[in-house]
Amino acid sequence: MVFQYLVGGATVVASLFLGYVFLHNSRRGKSRRDSTKIQRDGLVAGEGGADVIIVGAGVVGSSLAYALGKDGQRVHLLERDLSEPDRIVGELLQPGGYLKLVELGLEDCVKEIDAQQVFGYALFKDGKKTRIPYPLENFPSDVAGRSFHHGRFICRLREKASSLPNVKMEQGTVTSLLEENGMIKGVRYKTQIDAELTAHAALTVVCDGCFSNLRRSLCNPKVEVPSCFVGLVLENCQLPFPNHGHVILADPSPILFYPISSSEIRCLVDVPGKTVPSVSNGEMASYLKTVVAPQIPAELYASFLSAIEKGSIRPMANRSMPADPRPTPGALLMGDAFNMRHPLTGGGMTVALSDVVVLRDLLKPLRDFKDSSALCAYLESFYTLRKPVASTINTLAGALYKVFCASPDPARKEMRQACFDYLSLGGIFSTGPVALLSGLNPRPLSLVLHFFAVAIYGVWCLVFPLPSLKRAYTGARLISGASSIICPIIRAEGVRQMFFPFTIAAYYRVPPAI
């Protein structure tokens, strides 16, 4: 009996002792975790310096923050305005861009925002129409284009980025880059309450959009404004080809239609030049009714007029800027702050997401970014590795816009007609060009071959079966005109970087031992 009491007492004492040890260790573990969290948050907030500061939480900034955050980097993401953006572009993601979204693990960002699948294009000209499907036969069933409200998509990207514990998203306006001995050390920014703060990081990525006030120190900007888009939203109507983008080859320039929700269709009317008729005094409404409306497909005509009457007409300048980087230790420029193309083909987000994948893969092997000079030399390869996708989409956007615009020049008229007829042939004649446009085949050489194939096809249609001296002359001018369209764009992109990137030393650069 005594023995049983002794054993029982010993058991109680042992249990109390083990409980104390467990509780003490738990508190120490929690203390260590809290301390780690405080240190991590302090580093992200700039007290000890984040690994990466990203300026701008748009498509590039948010997706890059998520990609780097997933790889363990400490990211400080700064955005001037974290409310839902309201824009009339950035609403169509090509299939190639969707594949990049999948590669980044962000494909769920096009879910729960009423995004619509897009399976190709429909082209309209002079009462004729043709359907050009994406070549998706060899891809999974979910691979297609996506169209949506731009702001909803951006909000989903921001939610994903901020869900990671090592990504700090903050609303603040970056006023300048912190430079020391030619090296970028971070940024100076203002908070919502106008407090001026600084944040430091080994790498600063600037992607603050087409109106960037930081780009001049990181590139040689040559911004052109070839035209303006005038945006409308059509309701309660159906597109002639459901789940397709529609391009009307109108006079003076193209008109676009595509769904942005299950009940709304975006209309973008291109108006050549830097300025458009005034919206406030009714000139724009009159222009849309008298010049544009008669060229709209019958299925959309009534809804188009109704959208004009509602008065929600929104103009926006279309900007084009070739990538011309100025490599700077400690900083990198991306997105529309760095490179823009005419939005006719909807390729901007595909280029943006492709660039994010390229940069993520470059940074993944690095343990830290302390040696900014070595990092800068290594990241020069980014500008070369991005070229196949970026230059193909940039060149196609610029060339197609010039071809699709109406012109009194007979040779340009024939080129426009030849493009429509070539795409109407089907088979490789349509799948080849649309694979380039969709980002599924980012090969610059294939683009050039198809572009001049269109020109040669146009000449063939001109001179056969009844050749004449006048037709032959027009055909020669057609070839010359085609060259004058595409060659300046290629020259701006960089012939060597576009077609022979493997001859550039940066193409083979290996990660520095840092």
Side-chain angles (χ1 to χ4, degrees):
M1 181 69 70
V2 173
F3 179 74
Q4 288 178 344
Y5 281 123
L6 289 173
V7 172
T11 302
V12 170
V13 171
S15 298
L16 290 171
F17 176 75
L18 289 174
Y20 169 78
V21 170
F22 177 77
L23 181 61
H24 179 70
N25 286 339
S26 297
R27 285 178 175 174
R28 287 186 62 188
K30 183 178 185 301
S31 177
R32 281 196 299 268
R33 287 195 297 272
D34 290 345
S35 174
T36 301
K37 183 178 187 299
I38 291 169
Q39 290 176 3
R40 183 192 65 212
D41 289 347
L43 285 168
V44 171
E47 294 167 11
D51 295 316
V52 183
I53 292 171
I54 299 175
V55 183
V59 174
V60 174
S62 299
S63 55
L64 180 62
Y66 180 76
L68 298 183
K70 272 208 316 181
D71 286 345
Q73 306 297 345
R74 298 162 298 177
V75 181
H76 189 182
L77 180 58
L78 286 162
E79 167 58 40
R80 180 182 60 82
D81 185 359
L82 285 173
S83 60
E84 182 174 317
D86 184 14
R87 297 180 61 193
I88 63 171
V89 292
E91 298 172 317
L92 178 61
L93 180 66
Q94 298 286 2
Y98 178 75
L99 288 172
K100 297 299 179 183
L101 208 63
V102 172
E103 196 171 342
L104 292 166
L106 292 167
E107 65 273 20
D108 57 338
C109 290
V110 294
K111 297 177 181 177
E112 300 178 2
I113 60 172
D114 200 16
Q116 303 298 297
Q117 286 191 314
V118 178
F119 298 110
Y121 281 87
L123 208 57
F124 294 72
K125 184 180 184 297
D126 300 332
K128 296 181 180 179
K129 55 189 175 183
T130 185
R131 189 177 74 90
I132 312 166
Y134 292 134
L136 300 173
E137 297 81 7
N138 299 322
F139 293 94
S141 58
D142 68 310
V143 176
R146 294 293 193 284
S147 52
F148 38 69
H149 280 271
H150 174 81
R152 297 175 187 175
F153 179 57
I154 295 299
C155 287
R156 292 283 285 137
L157 289 175
R158 289 173 179 173
E159 287 171 10
K160 287 284 286 188
S162 59
S163 70
L164 298 177
N166 51 332
V167 174
K168 176 183 174 67
M169 185 180 296
E170 182 179 2
Q171 183 162 307
T173 301
V174 175
T175 55
S176 63
L177 300 174
L178 297 176
E179 185 176 344
E180 183 180 317
N181 299 322
M183 188 175 297
I184 304 301
K185 297 289 189 177
V187 298
R188 182 176 290 105
Y189 68 101
K190 285 186 177 181
T191 65
Q192 289 178 274
I193 57 173
D194 281 338
E196 289 197 8
L197 300 176
T198 59
H200 297 81
L203 177 64
T204 298
V205 179
V206 176
C207 46
D208 54 344
C210 63
F211 299 109
S212 173
N213 63 340
L214 304 174
R215 65 159 65 102
R216 289 194 175 277
S217 58
L218 301 174
C219 77
N220 304 303
K222 298 174 184 176
V223 180
E224 295 182 1
V225 181
S227 67
C228 296
F229 266 157
V230 178
L232 298 164
V233 174
L234 279 58
E235 298 175 340
N236 304 316
C237 63
Q238 292 292 325
L239 289 166
F241 295 89
N243 297 101
H244 282 67
H246 290 55
V247 182
I248 290 83
L249 302 187
D251 187 356
S253 52
I255 305 166
L256 307 181
F257 293 93
Y258 51 86
I260 54 173
S261 74
S262 54
S263 61
E264 298 166 299
I265 294 170
R266 168 66 72 194
C267 171
L268 293 174
V269 178
D270 186 85
V271 181
K274 297 181 180 181
T275 58
V276 297
S278 173
V279 174
S280 59
N281 65 11
E283 288 180 359
M284 177 57 73
S286 176
Y287 175 83
L288 293 174
K289 289 177 182 177
T290 58
V291 177
V292 178
Q295 305 180 75
I296 299 296
E299 298 94 327
L300 303 172
Y301 182 79
S303 295
F304 181 77
L305 291 180
S306 177
I308 297 171
E309 292 300 328
K310 286 182 180 178
S312 55
I313 303 170
R314 301 180 57 189
M316 186 208 71
N318 293 324
R319 292 172 173 81
S320 177
M321 185 181 75
D324 189 4
R326 191 186 302 152
T328 305
L332 196 70
L333 193 61
M334 295 180 69
D336 283 350
F338 172 53
N339 183 205
M340 292 179 279
R341 77 289 310 149
H342 195 285
L344 172 70
T345 59
M349 288 192 290
T350 300
V351 173
L353 292 168
S354 175
D355 284 356
V356 170
V357 170
V358 170
L359 183 59
R360 178 204 64 179
D361 292 346
L362 282 172
L363 294 178
K364 186 172 286 189
L366 304 184
R367 292 189 297 275
D368 62 60
F369 304 153
K370 291 178 182 177
D371 190 340
S372 295
S373 297
L375 182 63
C376 177
Y378 171 59
L379 289 182
E380 282 187 37
S381 60
F382 167 78
Y383 300 116
T384 301
L385 295 172
R386 70 181 292 273
K387 274 293 177 180
V389 174
S391 61
T392 300
I393 292 174
N394 292 346
T395 304
L396 184 61
L400 269 187
Y401 176 70
K402 292 183 177 180
V403 171
F404 282 177
C405 283
S407 171
D409 184 350
R412 290 286 295 273
K413 285 183 178 180
E414 292 295 338
M415 183 68 178
R416 193 186 198 208
Q417 185 64 49
C419 188
F420 180 85
D421 293 340
Y422 184 88
L423 293 170
S424 300
L425 293 173
I428 192 173
F429 305 107
S430 64
T431 58
V434 83
L436 292 163
L437 182 149
S438 62
L440 295 173
N441 178 28
R443 296 179 183 174
L445 183 59
S446 179
L447 164 62
V448 173
L449 291 175
H450 275 289
F451 188 80
F452 281 103
V454 170
I456 293 168
Y457 177 75
V459 173
W460 184 85
C461 291
L462 268 172
V463 300
F464 291 101
L466 297 172
S468 68
L469 188 60
K470 182 179 178 181
R471 286 171 174 263
Y473 175 70
T474 302
R477 290 191 63 245
L478 193 158
I479 296 291
S480 174
S483 300
S484 68
I485 287 173
I486 199 169
C487 289
I489 302 173
I490 291 175
R491 192 160 50 245
E493 288 291 323
V495 175
R496 187 182 175 195
Q497 293 91 335
M498 189 169 173
F499 296 101
F500 311 105
F502 50 86
T503 67
I504 300 172
Y507 187 82
Y508 303 99
R509 202 149 289 169
V510 297
I514 57 176

